[in-house]
Amino acid sequence: MSLDFVEVIAQKNKKSGATVIYPDFMVCESTDLMVRGHDFYAIWNEDTHLWIKEEKMVKTLVDKELSALLRTFPDQEGVTVQWLKKYSTGKWSEFQAYVKSLPDFYHELDENVTFQNTEVKKEDYVSKRLPYAIKEGDIENYNKIISTLYSPENRQKIEWAIGSIVKGDSKKIQKFLVLYGEAGTGKSTILNIIQKLFEGYYAVFDAKALASANNVFALEAFKTNPLVAIQHDGDLSRIEDNTKLNSLVSHEYMLVNEKFKTSYQSKFNAFLFMGTNKPVKITDARSGILRRLIDVMPSGNTLPV
């Protein structure tokens, strides 16, 4: 199956008889290429049935089509190929200029967790999988850890949040979790387990930057639109401006500024988990953070070394 945004052409010079094979990029709303903020976002790989976010995959897939056309010529000595992988041909620069000229057309990727044994198709917009399958298993060790570090009520809060991400409901739930307690009481232990559960689907964020009134790049940490955002040692003891944090937790459309890139609008799916030794201080009694914050406190019990 050929890529719909490129046409591979073989052009013969009438005087010299030499043939040039080159890619010609099409002005169209492609179903194989996605553009966001006038930048490359993803390309469809038919071989793996996954969307690929690495721009270098474009040269691999386009050059594969050039190579396929080259093989149709029995005598390849008089054939020149303008490969994307060779900068001297100018085709890579041409592709980058082509992307800059296009309007945005994209669909957010990985809006749901995809397990190792989940069947996917192009319209599912999946670019990665978890390294394990979803199935029944033994949780004896997990039970020992969680029931020691947290009371049944607080354990329920943690597992409710994890379950909402697996089921896909977290994209609609307007809540975030703060694990508050003394150092060494098991906050990072649980956050590490969550990171292992959602490997590839989480990002690290800075809560203090989100609560700052002046940090214009605070949302850059969410540029991959993760399903989970984690900070092991956060600080919300001084909230200057709750606008970004509220909008993020509410999954509202926000203007994203990335350094050296064109700004764009995006709605984030992340469920936030933050560990902290400092209490969250909300100075505005009418702040939406009050109803969105879920407090989780360790029991203070620990496991022996």
Side-chain angles (χ1 to χ4, degrees), residues 17 96 111-112 132 134 206 214 238 259 293 297 305:
Q96 291 182 314
E111 291 191 301
N112 294 292
Y132 62 89
I134 184 167
D206 182 356
N214 301 316
R238 184 181 176 185
K259 291 175 184 174
L293 170 64
M297 300 183 69
V305 175

Side-chain angles (χ1 to χ4, degrees), residues 230-267:
I230 291 175
Q231 186 175 19
H232 283 258
D233 189 12
D235 184 0
L236 284 175
S237 61
R238 184 181 176 185
I239 300 175
E240 295 175 4
D241 182 359
N242 62 38
T243 308
K244 287 192 191 77
L245 184 59
N246 257 333
S247 296
L248 186 64
V249 174
S250 302
H251 313 296
E252 296 171 357
Y253 276 98
M254 305 170 73
L255 188 66
V256 184
N257 288 309
E258 289 185 45
K259 291 175 184 174
F260 315 117
K261 287 196 175 184
T262 308
S263 58
Y264 58 91
Q265 279 194 337
S266 188
K267 182 174 72 170

